[in-house]
Amino acid sequence: MMQRYLLMGCLFPMLLAGVVQAQGTKLWTVDRYDMMERGTADGVGIRSDGRLEAGPSKQMVYDTGKSYAWSLAADREGNGYVGLGGTTAGSGIVMRVTPNGNATKLLETKDLAVQAVAVARDGSVIAATSPDGKVYRVPAGGGTATVLFDAATSEEKPKYLWDVAASPNGDVYVAAGAPAVVYKIPANGGKAQVLFKTADQHIRCLLLAADGTLWAGTDGSGVIYRIDTKVSGAKPFAAYAAPRREITSLAMDEVGNVYAAGVGARGSLPLPPLPVTGNVGITVTFSQPGSTAAAGTNSLISDGSEIYRIAKDGTPARLLTMKEDVVYALTFRKGALLAATGNRGRVYRIDPAVPGQFTDIAHLDAAQGMAFAPAKDGLLVTTSNSGKLFRLSDAPSKESVYTSEVFDAKEYSRWGRMEARTAGVPAGYDLWVRSGNVQSPVMGWSDWVKMSPEGVAAIPEGRFAQWKAVLHGGSGIDSVGLNYLPRNIAPIVDEIVVQPGAKMAAGAATPAATTVQVAFPVTTSANPAAAFQQDANTAPLTAQKDKNSVTARWLAHDDNGDDLMFAIWYRGVGETNWRLLKDQIRDHYYSFDASLLPDGNYELRVVASDAPVHTDSQTLTGERISPAFVVDTTPPVPGTLTASMVSSRAGAAPRIHATLDAHDATSPIAHAEYSVDGGAWQYLEPVGQVSDSQTEHYDFTAEAPQATTPVTDAKEHVIAVRVYDRCDNMAAVKAVVR
């Protein structure tokens, strides 16, 4: 029957590997978060330990048709208020979206973006715009907006308005940047007051607690402040200085613990100014998380995020580090902390009781999750790139479907049983699988086939496969595996190069004084398995120069990744039968004594076999024949060296005229040289100058040197000639002349 089992020690190494074994039956296993997250989750949560479990249902409520939906708030009736933005003036608008997705324009401004939205106790909507923006109040149900605060007319003239918070008594708090200021706008509509300033660049986010404590996160030093708004003249207190430079969001749980998201490495560049070139065509250059440039280019903070918890007693702690995701929004709901992130548009549920553990509960169809707001039986969340409004349910999805990534077996394979591990949780899921021979499942794959209770699903053989899990009743899965048997493919010998006059001793160091670099031409295979196997065999071969040796080197690969061994055969050019030179070779080269073969022209055949990992009946071979090469260990045969003195004009040195014929039975004569009376060797050209034949004739005249020491016969001279063939074999001959 199908294997549903607890994790056992003998199974653990197998489950850690995505694919195990190099030959025979293999197991494709998906059991870690980094594997699971590459699939598609619909109503499925992916826990940080790789477990699949039922997640919230996701529904798109409204598509704004814009790129950026920066901010979000909701009223008691469940209506969402979405702050939009763009890259041109007039993009800053607020849309009112009903629970069934009907949208109406509530506020239209001349500004670039509505960066923050809040709903006051009386139902009016507070909206803050940037840059050089204003704070507006729109009456409940709509109507003419009034300006509560104008950054351009304030004494500080902040460039950015990042966040707003509305108190139960009607006061409104505004977070501003460049410079970093928190304003208080009285409920009676009086002039905005500076609640406090900091030395940072920006106040990025606000959180107003039920007891009147206002929390503020900064950009620059990553400091989290708190101030009691119910006490007149209260001073801000720095509750925590985060390791990151910017606090992007704050949230609070039911008991008063505060959670903060930090991004950006300390010492990174501060927010640059926003150049404004007119009413249209505004160029956005700032890269602040949450800004138009950041979301518009997807070039956000590259070093991930951290989430911190400040306990009610003031004790801070790092709760989670996220390496790839940038947290834009936090909220606390149903005993769990939720984080909306970019640049992959994911929502995470974080269990505060288990530091470091999280669950990826939703993949939004956008690059960035920007803001949360409560809704009936769930949450609203806005996104950017593209600008949409989604609803996430509190209850687990009734139909939770997870589809794995496409698996590439690399070879045509037979698919076997499926295996699933549930860590003791009662099974409440169905597994389905399909296969194909192209990367995309929409291009001629098989239909989905449901796995039987025994783990069997009859799908066609092929190269690619994919599985999906349908979870029922809150069940979960910790691991899914699919057995498969790749069809054995014969190995391929890609290239052979034969180098006479070179010798390489396997496993032995070659003395530097006697080594030469024998560069073997390399043809690189496009096959990935070949590239892997050739990696250690494509460098130039360091070999000893040895005219009595021959070295062959080859490139070979096996698409199954099998271990290979080789046999090398030889035959003379024009012969039919091959004769074994050496078998069971594990290296990709072989050197042999050239004297084993009579002089002549030869070919080598290298046969690659996957026998080390297959039975005799399953073993396959591949072979390649080398270009012809010459074995020549016999020196040329010189004829008689005829030499005589020739007359010279008066006062000139005596001269010797010599002739010689030389012949080589196998290879052309390469060059010759001569010496008179033991003097230096001089290069000697054949008649016709070009030395390219197996027989060459030499006819030359050489000066006879004067004796520098007493000799018995000053008229006697000895002339010697050395003749070399192309294989560096040499023969010498001499003559005495008077």
Side-chain angles (χ1 to χ4, degrees):
M1 62 181 295
M2 177 190 169
Q3 297 184 16
R4 293 186 172 103
Y5 42 77
L6 294 174
L7 184 64
M8 298 182 181
C10 63
L11 184 66
F12 188 67
M14 181 180 294
L15 292 176
L16 284 180
V19 176
V20 297
Q21 300 178 321
Q23 62 280 328
T25 299
K26 301 181 182 181
L27 179 62
W28 167 42
T29 303
V30 182
D31 62 350
R32 302 194 308 264
Y33 175 78
D34 64 319
M35 298 175 174
M36 293 291 190
E37 70 165 344
R38 295 196 288 265
T40 302
D42 184 6
V44 174
I46 308 172
R47 213 165 65 183
S48 52
D49 59 3
R51 177 177 172 80
L52 297 179
E53 56 189 22
S57 62
K58 178 187 70 178
Q59 177 189 3
M60 190 182 73
V61 180
Y62 173 58
D63 187 343
T64 69
K66 307 293 184 182
S67 295
Y68 314 119
W70 295 121
S71 51
L72 177 65
D75 60 20
R76 298 186 187 91
E77 288 74 34
N79 298 307
Y81 298 90
V82 183
L84 304 179
T87 58
T88 58
S91 300
I93 61 177
V94 177
M95 301 296 296
R96 180 179 183 268
V97 184
T98 64
N100 61 7
N102 294 327
T104 56
K105 188 179 294 184
L106 185 73
L107 173 66
E108 184 172 8
T109 74
K110 296 181 180 180
D111 300 307
L112 196 68
V114 176
Q115 196 67 46
V117 184
V119 176
R121 189 170 188 176
D122 62 1
S124 61
V125 176
I126 310 299
T129 65
S130 279
D132 299 319
K134 302 176 178 64
V135 177
Y136 299 88
R137 184 192 297 273
V138 183
T144 303
T146 58
V147 176
L148 300 181
F149 174 72
D150 186 344
T153 61
S154 67
E155 181 180 346
E156 295 76 20
K157 293 181 173 55
K159 193 72 176 178
Y160 309 100
L161 304 181
W162 291 113
D163 203 2
V164 294
S167 70
N169 66 4
D171 294 338
V172 175
Y173 299 93
V174 182
V181 185
V182 175
Y183 293 96
K184 175 184 177 181
I185 303 174
N188 59 15
K191 183 180 179 181
Q193 307 164 7
V194 174
L195 187 65
F196 70 89
K197 298 180 182 180
T198 78
D200 282 302
Q201 285 89 33
H202 305 269
I203 304 292
R204 281 285 288 115
C205 53
L206 297 175
L207 170 67
L208 185 60
D211 63 0
T213 301
L214 181 68
W215 296 79
T218 73
D219 172 27
S221 300
V223 177
I224 301 170
Y225 293 92
R226 70 169 186 260
I227 186 170
D228 190 347
T229 61
K230 293 183 177 180
V231 177
S232 178
K235 296 177 61 178
F237 178 76
Y240 180 55
R244 301 298 182 99
R245 62 164 288 121
E246 179 179 355
I247 305 300
T248 57
S249 185
L250 296 164
M252 180 177 285
D253 62 19
E254 298 91 341
V255 300
N257 298 312
V258 172
Y259 301 87
V263 304
R266 287 185 177 271
S268 56
L269 294 176
L271 186 76
L274 175 73
V276 179
T277 60
N279 291 330
V280 295
I282 295 177
T283 303
V284 182
T285 60
F286 57 96
S287 57
Q288 186 89 7
S291 69
T292 25
T297 62
N298 287 345
S299 58
L300 299 171
I301 305 300
S302 59
D303 49 0
S305 308
E306 293 180 341
I307 296 177
Y308 315 102
R309 176 176 57 197
I310 303 175
K312 191 174 181 179
D313 64 4
T315 304
R318 182 188 290 113
L319 192 63
L320 180 67
T321 298
M322 310 182 80
K323 295 182 179 180
E324 297 185 47
D325 300 279
V326 176
V327 177
Y328 289 108
L330 296 174
T331 192
F332 205 88
R333 185 157 181 100
K334 301 293 183 180
L337 181 68
L338 281 83
T341 70
N343 283 335
R344 302 184 293 171
R346 298 186 178 183
V347 177
Y348 296 94
R349 183 177 63 231
I350 300 154
D351 185 355
V354 187
Q357 180 171 294
F358 62 87
T359 304
D360 180 353
I361 62 170
H363 291 191
L364 305 173
D365 302 320
Q368 292 90 23
M370 300 304 303
F372 289 117
K376 183 181 179 181
D377 300 325
L379 278 174
L380 297 175
V381 56
T382 56
T383 65
S384 289
N385 289 308
S386 56
K388 298 176 182 178
L389 177 65
F390 292 90
R391 180 187 294 114
L392 302 180
S393 65
D394 288 332
S397 176
K398 294 181 180 179
E399 187 74 1
S400 303
V401 180
Y402 173 84
T403 305
S404 76
E405 68 172 334
V406 172
F407 172 67
D408 183 0
K410 305 300 183 185
E411 299 92 35
Y412 192 80
S413 301
R414 180 193 306 174
W415 305 103
R417 295 174 57 256
M418 297 188 71
E419 303 176 5
R421 179 170 57 90
T422 59
V425 179
Y429 57 82
D430 295 317
L431 287 177
W432 301 70
V433 65
R434 61 182 177 180
S435 63
N437 285 299
V438 291
Q439 182 76 36
S440 173
V442 301
M443 299 176 64
W445 276 42
S446 70
D447 294 330
W448 286 107
V449 177
K450 187 177 179 179
M451 183 192 68
S452 72
E454 291 76 27
V456 177
I459 58 173
E461 296 183 3
R463 173 172 170 173
F464 300 94
Q466 186 179 43
W467 58 264
K468 71 176 178 180
V470 181
L471 307 181
H472 309 292
S475 63
I477 299 178
D478 291 276
S479 171
V480 174
L482 176 61
N483 291 276
Y484 67 100
L485 178 64
R487 289 293 185 92
N488 192 21
I489 300 173
I492 295 175
V493 180
D494 299 287
E495 186 170 359
I496 307 172
V497 176
V498 181
Q499 182 70 48
K503 180 180 181 180
M504 183 172 181
T510 306
T514 60
T515 62
V516 293
Q517 291 293 323
V518 182
F520 284 76
V522 173
T523 299
T524 302
S525 171
N527 184 281
F532 177 81
Q533 288 195 336
Q534 292 169 6
D535 180 68
N537 299 291
T538 54
L541 172 64
T542 301
Q544 292 176 313
K545 185 176 181 181
D546 184 348
K547 68 183 182 66
N548 295 316
S549 295
V550 178
T551 293
R553 194 183 189 205
W554 53 89
L555 298 179
H557 75 272
D558 187 282
D559 287 337
N560 300 106
D562 293 339
D563 293 334
L564 300 178
M565 67 179 181
F566 306 94
I568 187 166
W569 301 69
Y570 75 93
R571 72 179 177 187
V573 173
E575 297 177 5
T576 302
N577 296 329
W578 291 97
R579 294 167 177 81
L580 180 64
L581 187 63
K582 177 69 176 176
D583 61 0
Q584 297 186 356
I585 302 171
R586 292 303 184 111
D587 296 319
H588 284 239
Y589 61 87
Y590 181 67
S591 296
F592 61 93
D593 188 346
S595 65
L596 294 174
L597 306 179
D599 289 1
N601 295 323
Y602 290 89
E603 297 170 321
L604 293 183
R605 182 180 69 174
V606 174
V607 179
S609 169
D610 57 12
V613 292
H614 290 284
T615 63
D616 290 344
S617 62
Q618 294 178 328
T619 295
L620 296 177
T621 61
E623 63 182 51
R624 182 176 288 270
I625 298 173
S626 75
F629 65 96
V630 176
V631 171
D632 183 0
T633 59
T634 304
V637 178
T640 301
L641 176 60
T642 301
S644 61
M645 300 298 298
V646 296
S647 59
S648 302
R649 64 179 182 271
R655 297 169 64 81
I656 302 172
H657 175 253
T659 60
L660 173 70
D661 289 313
H663 175 75
D664 192 278
T666 305
S667 58
I669 303 297
H671 69 281
E673 53 190 7
Y674 72 89
S675 171
V676 179
D677 292 344
W681 290 96
Q682 306 292 321
Y683 179 76
L684 177 59
E685 290 181 341
V687 173
Q689 297 183 317
V690 179
S691 186
D692 59 357
S693 301
Q694 290 176 247
T695 299
E696 295 288 355
H697 176 67
Y698 299 90
D699 190 331
F700 63 99
T701 301
E703 290 186 359
Q706 297 289 338
T708 57
T709 58
V711 293
T712 303
D713 186 353
K715 293 183 179 182
E716 180 184 277
H717 299 280
V718 177
I719 184 169
V721 177
R722 296 193 302 206
V723 182
Y724 296 82
D725 63 19
R726 285 190 181 173
C727 295
D728 212 27
N729 300 301
M730 184 271 290
V733 64
K734 73 175 182 177
V736 178
V737 60
R738 293 180 175 83

